[in-house]
Amino acid sequence: MLINARIKKGVALIEVIISMAIMASILSVLVSMVLGSLVTVTSGEDKLEAENIAQEGIEAVRSIRDRAWNENTFNQSAVNISGGQWNFTGEATTDVIGKYTRTLTFSDVCRDVFYDIVACPGSFVDPHTKLITVNVSWTGRTGNPNSVTKTSYISDWQNAKWNQTDWVGGAGQTIWSNATRYDSDDGNVDISVPG
C-alpha cells in the first residue's frame, strides 16, 4: 500500500509538472502575441507619421512653387516656416522632425519630341517641371532602419509670368521680387529710362 501511495503521489507530481509546463507554454505564446501586436501597432503608427511628414514636404514645395517658381533652384533642400510661409533652408539641408529625417530632392524632368515625360536624357529638359522625391527615414523600435518615399511632379503652369516694368531699381536681386530690379549685368543695361 505504501508503494501504491508513493506511486500515486509521483504520478500526481508529474501531472502537476506537465500542467505547469503546458500553462507556461500557453502564457509564453500569449505574451509573444501581445508583444508582437504592440510592435506591429507601433510600426504602423511610425509609418503613418512618416507618410504624413513626407506629404507635408510635398505640400510645402507646392506652396513655395505657387508663390515663386524661381525659388525652386536646389538639388536638395529642407523646408521651414518663416514669416508665415514655407521657405527652402538651403542646398544639402535636411529636416529632423523628432526621430524622423526628411530629405527633399529635386530632379530635372526630360521630355521627348511629343512632350511626354521620359527618362533623362530625353529630347530636352523641361524648364517648367521638376520631380520632387521626399524620403523620410527613422529607426524603428526594434532598431531596424525604416523609410517612406513619395514623389510628385511640380510645374509652373499656373504661375503668372514675370512682368518686367523697367530696370530703374538697378541690380541686386537673385530671386525676383521687385519688378524694377535685376540680378546683375555686363554694364550694357540702360537703367536711366523707365520702360
Side-chain angles (χ1 to χ4, degrees):
M1 285 287 186
L2 189 58
I3 294 178
N4 281 341
R6 284 189 177 175
I7 290 176
K8 285 183 180 180
K9 282 185 182 180
V11 169
L13 183 59
I14 291 173
E15 287 176 350
V16 167
I17 292 172
I18 291 173
S19 296
M20 289 177 64
I22 291 172
M23 288 300 286
S25 296
I26 291 172
L27 284 175
S28 83
V29 167
L30 289 175
V31 167
S32 69
M33 286 174 52
V34 168
L35 291 177
S37 296
L38 288 175
V39 168
T40 301
V41 167
T42 303
S43 297
E45 289 173 355
D46 289 349
K47 184 175 182 187
L48 181 61
E49 182 69 18
E51 287 177 352
N52 289 335
I53 290 169
Q55 187 63 41
E56 178 188 60
I58 288 174
E59 296 304 324
V61 171
R62 286 182 180 150
S63 175
I64 295 168
R65 179 245 1 235
D66 290 347
R67 184 181 70 241
W69 173 258
N70 59 323
E71 291 184 30
N72 292 306
T73 61
F74 300 103
N75 294 317
Q76 176 186 325
S77 178
V79 290
N80 67 10
I81 295 179
S82 174
Q85 63 186 12
W86 285 102
N87 296 290
F88 292 117
T89 59
E91 187 65 52
T93 57
T94 59
D95 295 316
V96 177
I97 304 162
K99 66 180 177 180
Y100 303 96
T101 300
R102 177 172 60 196
T103 305
L104 289 86
T105 56
F106 304 88
S107 305
D108 286 334
V109 173
C110 293
R111 295 188 182 268
D112 63 15
V113 295
F114 303 107
Y115 293 91
D116 292 328
I117 294 174
V118 295
C120 289
S123 296
F124 65 96
V125 174
D126 183 351
H128 304 287
T129 307
K130 289 283 187 184
L131 174 64
I132 311 164
T133 303
V134 181
N135 181 275
V136 177
S137 59
W138 73 99
T139 301
R141 194 177 169 123
T142 59
N144 294 330
N146 296 287
S147 68
V148 166
T149 301
K150 288 187 175 258
T151 60
S152 182
Y153 290 100
I154 60 167
S155 68
D156 69 346
W157 69 272
Q158 70 185 39
N159 285 352
K161 300 301 177 201
W162 181 260
N163 294 319
Q164 186 69 41
T165 58
D166 55 48
W167 300 112
V168 296
Q173 66 181 352
T174 56
I175 295 178
W176 284 2
S177 59
N178 181 334
T180 67
R181 298 179 68 109
Y182 57 92
D183 184 7
S184 62
D185 72 87
D186 61 1
N188 293 320
V189 176
D190 182 4
I191 64 171
S192 64
V193 181

